[in-house]
């Protein structure tokens, strides 16, 4: 269903790798709601993924940018304004990667070069993106910037590894930069804390299948899908949420406020009986 919520709005969408990506679904939904955008991803992801297909489908241009590189981000923001014919109304940061997770390093056995690379990609890139937008005065008033997070920023999920710390860092950057963006340019900055979702990044987490099934059973409304996350993001880009800022917004079917659910308790008891 489309409501034209983003008619006339222009944006930049980071992080669409393939059709499972949350950013991919968001691009499709933004297009349906009348928004126009530039797609971007790291050069290597452009080679490996299928973003061109999305670009054709949505009539968008793709500009490569490694989100850890200021010069790439400057080029991205300048070119986007040229292509879109004006300042930016919305930005989605859907970027995450931990080298320690990729290499199978346990949380207590981190390689700190990997740790640093991980936080640069997953958290500091959000600061860099906003700093470039801010310095270039590239955002329109009442614009909206969203990054995607996960509840391991607040609670312990052992297999989420150093991504937990990266997400805590990301959420803090949203608040800290959001203050200045709000005060100086009337731009809002939020993070959406999304349910586990079967994407390339999601499936990189050890034991993901168990993880996603457990979250689904714990949540009164079940896990939120990538498409539902896209819908929520559209609402945050729209003028219906103009005074929502500095928030970490849980989009997780209720998971974050649960202690235990009947289903999880039953399967735990069953497991105990079988022992
Ligand atoms: P995905 O694997 O489809 O997207 C991750 C994206 O990050 C990829 O497009 C990748 O190319 C991009 N990326 C990595 N390094 C980059 C760099 N240096 N510069 C620019 N882009 C770079 O997976 P997904 O799940 O759609 O991830 C999007 C966001 O959602 C991430 O922040 C992730 O942590 C977050 N998230 C995912 C959840 C899940 O279970 N899948 C749950 C909660 C949050």
């Amino acid at each position: 269903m489309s409501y034209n919520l983003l008619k006339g709005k222009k944006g930049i969408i980071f992080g669409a790798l393939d059709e499972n990506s949350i950013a991919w679904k968001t691009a499709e939904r933004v297009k349906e709601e009348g928004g126009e955008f530039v797609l971007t991803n790291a050069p290597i992801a452009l080679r490996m993924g299928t973003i061109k297909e999305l670009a054709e489908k949505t009539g968008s241009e793709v500009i490569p940018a490694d989100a850890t590189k200021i010069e790439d981000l400057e080029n991205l923001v300048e070119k986007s304004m040229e292509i879109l014919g004006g300042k930016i109304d919305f930005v989605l940061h859907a970027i995450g990667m931990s080298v320690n997770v990729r290499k199978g390093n346990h949380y207590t056995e981190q390689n700190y070069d990997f740790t640093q690379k991980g936080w640069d990609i997953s958290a500091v890139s959000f600061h860099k993106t906003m700093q470039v937008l801010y310095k270039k005065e590239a955002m329109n008033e009442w614009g909206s910037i969203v990054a995607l997070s996960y509840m391991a920023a607040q609670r312990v999920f052992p297999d989420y590894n150093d991504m937990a710390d990266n997400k805590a860092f990301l959420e803090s950057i949203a608040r800290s930069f959001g203050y200045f963006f709000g005060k100086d340019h009337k731009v809002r900055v939020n993070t959406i804390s999304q349910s586990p979702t079967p994407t390339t990044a999601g499936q990189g987490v050890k034991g993901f299948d168990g993880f996603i099934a457990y979250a689904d059973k714990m949540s009164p409304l079940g896990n939120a899908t990538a498409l539902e996350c896209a819908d929520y993001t559209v609402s945050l880009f729209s003028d219906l949420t103009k005074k929502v800022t500095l928030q970490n917004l849980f989009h997780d079917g209720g998971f974050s406020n649960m202690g235990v659910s009947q289903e999880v308790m039953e399967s735990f008891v069953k497991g105990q009986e079988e022992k």
Side-chain angles (χ1 to χ4, degrees), residues 154-202:
Q154 289 79 30
R155 307 215 181 145
V156 178
F157 293 85
D159 288 335
Y160 208 65
N161 211 313
D162 60 339
M163 275 307 287
D165 306 326
N166 295 339
K167 290 303 190 192
F169 195 174
L170 178 83
E171 292 177 14
S172 179
I173 288 170
R175 285 185 294 272
S176 303
F177 218 126
Y179 170 78
F180 296 103
F181 243 135
K183 271 283 190 202
D184 301 339
H185 299 296
K186 293 194 169 61
V187 168
R188 58 202 190 277
V189 182
N190 296 289
T191 48
I192 294 177
S193 186
Q194 163 69 7
S195 293
T197 314
T199 62
T200 305

Side-chain angles (χ1 to χ4, degrees), residues 44-190:
I44 181 156
L46 297 185
R47 287 197 293 279
M48 290 167 60
T50 50
I51 197 170
K52 278 207 184 99
E53 205 183 291
L54 178 66
E56 276 164 29
K57 206 171 161 187
T58 58
S60 319
E61 290 203 33
V62 181
I63 301 178
D66 177 337
T68 63
K69 295 198 174 132
I70 293 289
E71 57 279 12
D72 283 16
L73 292 168
E74 285 175 341
N75 176 61
L76 169 68
V77 169
E78 277 158 25
K79 290 235 170 80
S80 297
M81 287 197 288
E82 269 168 45
I83 291 166
L84 298 168
K87 291 194 186 190
I88 308 298
D89 300 293
F90 60 86
V91 175
L92 175 67
H93 177 287
I95 299 173
M97 211 272 290
S98 157
V99 192
N100 282 308
V101 168
R102 281 226 180 143
K103 303 276 185 193
N105 291 347
H106 192 264
Y107 186 77
T108 58
E109 292 288 339
Q110 288 186 39
N111 169 321
Y112 293 114
D113 290 335
F114 296 169
T115 308
Q116 205 164 338
K117 180 94 185 132
W119 86 52
D120 197 15
I121 293 175
S122 309
V124 182
S125 68
F126 191 40
H127 193 289
K128 290 176 176 171
T129 301
M130 287 197 281
Q131 188 161 297
V132 169
L133 290 162
Y134 182 90
K135 282 169 110 171
K136 290 191 178 297
E137 299 194 3
M139 293 294 295
N140 274 321
E141 280 197 357
W142 303 112
S144 174
I145 301 175
V146 170
L148 298 179
S149 193
Y150 181 60
M151 214 189 60
Q154 289 79 30
R155 307 215 181 145
V156 178
F157 293 85
D159 288 335
Y160 208 65
N161 211 313
D162 60 339
M163 275 307 287
D165 306 326
N166 295 339
K167 290 303 190 192
F169 195 174
L170 178 83
E171 292 177 14
S172 179
I173 288 170
R175 285 185 294 272
S176 303
F177 218 126
Y179 170 78
F180 296 103
F181 243 135
K183 271 283 190 202
D184 301 339
H185 299 296
K186 293 194 169 61
V187 168
R188 58 202 190 277
V189 182
N190 296 289

